[in-house]
Amino acid sequence: MLPTLYERFPLRELNTFGVEARARHFCRVRNADELAALAAEPRLAGLPRLVLGGGSNLLLTGDFDGLVIKVEAPGLRDLGEADGVWRIEVGAGENWHATVERLLAMDRPGLENLALIPGHCGAAPIQNIGAYGLELAERFDSLIAWDLQTQQQVRMSAAECDFGYRDSAFKRELAGRRVILAITLALPKQWQPVAGYADVVHELKARGVAQPGPRDIFDAVVAIRRRKLPDPAAIGNAGSFFKNPIVSREEHRALIAHYPSLVGYPLPGGRVKLAAAWLIDAAGLKGATRGRAGVYEKQALVLVNRGGATGAEILALAREVQDKVAEKFGLRLQPEPVIV
Ligand SMILES: Cc1cc2nc3c(=O)[nH]c(=O)nc-3n(C[C@H](O)[C@H](O)[C@H](O)COP(=O)(O)OP(=O)(O)OC[C@H]3O[C@@H](n4cnc5c(N)ncnc54)[C@H](O)[C@@H]3O)c2cc1C
């Protein structure tokens, strides 16, 4: 059945930056049948599509002259255990954090490091969400999506999603092409804590926890995030605006020679992931304000809407950050959110 179509639909409440923008057409979908009906609708023929989840990882720079499809596919199904993992299928429209919490309550731990990441389950594969030493790819089995070109449902394995650091095929060759309807998680039956990340180590120590269980990690991550990250309900933002750049060992050596306090994390194979927040801070931009957009004072990686900023203002600030960091360090930061 064709979902209800709305015209000139306001998107301000549907993006965590809280910027004003309108969709020429807007609808909510729950399943593949509704997507098939949209494909057959003459009014929408040839129009660009934008798929929307919780709107917490995109920057709208103007009105969208096409169809915005908000995915609200519901449900959570325990598919049982095989090969040492629990498989759980979750509808794309389910809230991510609520799902992490629900699985913990069902005695299906494994996602607690990713607690409190805003947004919906269907968007989690898009940038292979990650935090505090864990990425979705490590807990992922497969997904079901609708292909907007062939108008058919497909199942994709982890290999086909081609996950990388805050990256997947959905940000590259499949950009804008697939609507994810459900994801299947793979949670190891033998739970092991992922507690090597410095912030998590300190938080557990401060709480007097020597042998953490899933609930301890969950509580620690939630507490750290509440302290560090701005709540989009209070101040518009999309979390980290830039990816941490990855450089070769030689490039790292050359940078450290000039900037001994540069923060970096060694990666397997000799490469080094640099803290983009440190680079932005060192470029003198932490806490900066340009018009109604700003660089968050407690975390330079986060750009914020200080009230009434347009997407274009935030984008201009992002470009300034990229230019100043490039000028000083010879590295061009890459944005993490999708810029529409
Ligand atoms: C305060 C804050 C903290 C954050 N912390 C983290 C963090 O620690 N780690 C991290 O990885 N991210 C983080 N993020 C970013 C964001 O929460 C995640 O990327 C999240 O997965 C986005 O989900 P969403 O439903 O809001 O996606 P949206 O913003 O709605 O969409 C993001 C992209 O995914 C596409 N998309 C969404 N749903 C679907 C679907 N069903 N099918 C196909 N494409 C789809 C959209 O077209 C768009 O390109 C943070 C954001 C905020 C605001």
Side-chain angles (χ1 to χ4, degrees):
M1 212 176 77
L2 186 69
T4 307
L5 285 173
Y6 301 88
E7 317 287 311
R8 297 249 329 125
F9 194 84
L11 300 173
R12 191 167 72 88
E13 302 287 324
L14 300 183
N15 73 95
T16 59
F17 261 123
V19 298
E20 298 278 0
R22 278 179 188 264
R24 178 160 153 203
H25 300 282
F26 175 89
C27 67
R28 298 185 172 88
V29 302
R30 291 166 65 88
N31 54 49
D33 289 346
E34 292 178 335
L35 288 162
L38 287 172
E41 172 55 40
R43 272 179 294 169
L44 305 172
L47 286 180
R49 263 70 171 158
L50 170 66
V51 184
L52 192 64
S56 66
N57 207 30
L58 47 82
L59 176 61
L60 299 165
T61 57
D63 290 343
F64 187 73
D65 191 21
L67 171 67
V68 171
I69 301 172
K70 182 158 190 291
V71 183
E72 297 191 345
L76 186 148
R77 276 198 309 150
D78 193 336
L79 305 180
E81 184 257 329
D83 308 323
V85 297
W86 298 106
R87 287 197 171 71
I88 316 279
E89 187 184 83
V90 194
E94 296 291 335
N95 176 275
W96 174 262
H97 176 70
T99 302
V100 173
E101 230 177 349
R102 193 167 157 198
L103 289 172
L104 208 51
M106 285 165 60
D107 203 18
R108 298 284 181 271
L111 299 176
E112 38 298 327
N113 295 62
L114 306 179
L116 223 59
I117 296 181
H120 296 178
C121 291
I126 305 294
Q127 72 157 2
N128 179 25
I129 56 169
Y132 301 101
L134 187 72
E135 288 184 343
L136 175 77
E138 295 164 79
R139 301 286 185 263
F140 182 87
D141 176 81
S142 58
L143 59 78
I144 297 170
W146 178 264
D147 190 296
L148 290 167
Q149 253 172 43
T150 63
Q151 306 299 345
Q152 276 179 353
Q153 186 166 300
V154 289
R155 181 172 279 278
M156 294 175 67
S157 65
E160 287 167 303
C161 295
D162 196 16
F163 293 121
Y165 163 61
R166 298 294 186 276
D167 194 35
S168 73
F170 304 104
K171 283 191 130 183
R172 291 178 262 116
E173 58 274 22
L174 292 177
R177 194 168 149 185
R178 298 230 160 128
V179 183
I180 296 169
L181 288 167
I183 62 172
T184 299
L185 299 161
L187 306 175
K189 242 187 121 180
Q190 296 292 324
W191 182 85
Q192 298 276 352
V194 179
Y197 208 87
D199 281 353
V200 178
V201 173
H202 293 147
E203 183 68 25
L204 290 170
K205 205 167 163 209
R207 290 166 173 252
V209 180
Q211 290 192 319
R215 177 51 70 173
D216 298 312
I217 307 253
F218 177 90
D219 289 343
V221 168
V222 167
I224 298 165
R225 293 187 69 104
R226 289 226 161 100
R227 272 201 307 271
K228 278 191 141 181
L229 291 169
D231 176 1
I235 181 160
N237 75 92
S240 303
F241 198 91
F242 299 100
K243 298 188 198 186
N244 290 317
I246 296 172
V247 297
S248 67
R249 187 180 301 162
E250 294 69 36
E251 284 173 296
H252 182 243
R253 244 184 238 138
L255 282 165
I256 275 282
H258 275 89
Y259 306 101
S261 58
L262 172 72
V263 177
Y265 316 96
L267 297 176
R271 302 210 299 161
V272 181
K273 191 196 273 182
L274 303 179
W278 187 94
L279 300 171
I280 298 167
D281 193 1
L285 287 163
K286 191 174 182 176
T289 297
R290 301 287 182 270
R292 294 162 293 181
V295 180
Y296 190 51
E297 20 295 291
K298 288 195 222 162
Q299 167 54 277
L301 210 44
V302 178
L303 300 189
V304 293
N305 178 353
R306 300 206 189 275
T310 63
E313 268 177 300
I314 296 167
L315 187 62
L317 175 59
R319 299 272 182 261
E320 183 185 337
V321 171
Q322 285 176 309
D323 291 346
K324 294 226 164 111
V325 168
E327 228 168 76
K328 195 167 168 78
F329 301 103
L331 293 166
R332 187 134 195 108
L333 296 178
Q334 294 307 317
E336 194 181 290
V338 174
I339 295 169
V340 182

